[in-house]
Amino acid sequence: MDFSLIGEKLRAVEAENLRVRLMKQAETHRIAERMPGIPIACQINATETSDHIERAWFGGEGTVIAFFENDNVMVRATVSFLLDFLAQREPWQDWDVCIFDYDVTWCAAITHNDEAKFVRFA
C-alpha cells in the first residue's frame, strides 16, 4: 500500500517520537486483560465506541496523524480525506489504525476486528 496517497508520510524520527508519546498516553487507558505486545488500537480502553469511526470525534476539519500499526507507517492527513479513505477500505484491508492529534491529547482507533473507539487522554 502506498500510504503517501493518503497524506504526508512522516519521517522515521518524528514517527517514532509520536509513537512513543501515543504509547505513554495510552498506558493509563489500556484494557488490563490484553497483552502489551498487541497493537495499540486493540489495547485502548475507549470512552466511546461505535460500529464505525465517528466524524464527531474529530471536532471538525483539520489535520491528524494516522498510525497504520500493521505497516508501522504514520501519515499526516486531513480528517475528511482519511475518514473517506477508511470507509472505502476492502475487507482484506484489516488494519489497526490509531488516529490522533499532534499533541496526542485524544485517539480514535479502528482495529482489524472493526472495533471503532475513541478516548480523550487530557
Side-chain angles (χ1 to χ4, degrees):
M1 169 75 199
D2 183 3
F3 291 101
S4 65
L5 298 173
I6 302 166
E8 175 194 356
K9 214 170 140 183
L10 300 185
R11 294 180 189 207
V13 172
E14 182 179 18
E16 179 59 16
N17 287 339
L18 284 168
R19 187 189 67 77
V20 168
R21 286 172 46 204
L22 175 62
M23 288 181 65
K24 184 174 172 59
Q25 290 287 61
E27 270 179 15
T28 58
H29 294 83
R30 282 187 65 242
I31 299 171
E33 307 81 52
R34 301 216 173 150
M35 300 296 295
I38 66 173
I40 299 166
C42 299
Q43 294 182 43
I44 291 174
N45 188 10
T47 52
E48 296 181 47
T49 60
S50 178
D51 60 349
H52 63 281
I53 296 273
E54 300 281 346
R55 287 186 188 269
W57 292 344
F58 300 92
E61 292 301 312
T63 302
V64 293
I65 306 298
F67 179 28
F68 290 83
E69 293 188 71
N70 313 62
D71 296 283
N72 198 30
V73 171
M74 276 197 199
V75 178
R76 183 178 289 113
T78 65
V79 170
S80 182
F81 189 86
L82 179 62
L83 295 185
D84 290 345
F85 171 81
L86 290 172
Q88 295 174 30
R89 73 188 188 285
E90 299 293 342
W92 62 85
Q93 294 173 312
D94 57 349
W95 298 304
D96 295 298
V97 184
C98 290
I99 305 163
F100 52 94
D101 64 323
Y102 197 81
D103 294 328
V104 196
T105 60
W106 54 263
C107 179
I110 190 162
T111 72
H112 62 280
N113 295 328
D114 287 330
E115 295 174 287
K117 48 178 104 176
F118 179 82
V119 63
R120 186 165 301 284
F121 299 127

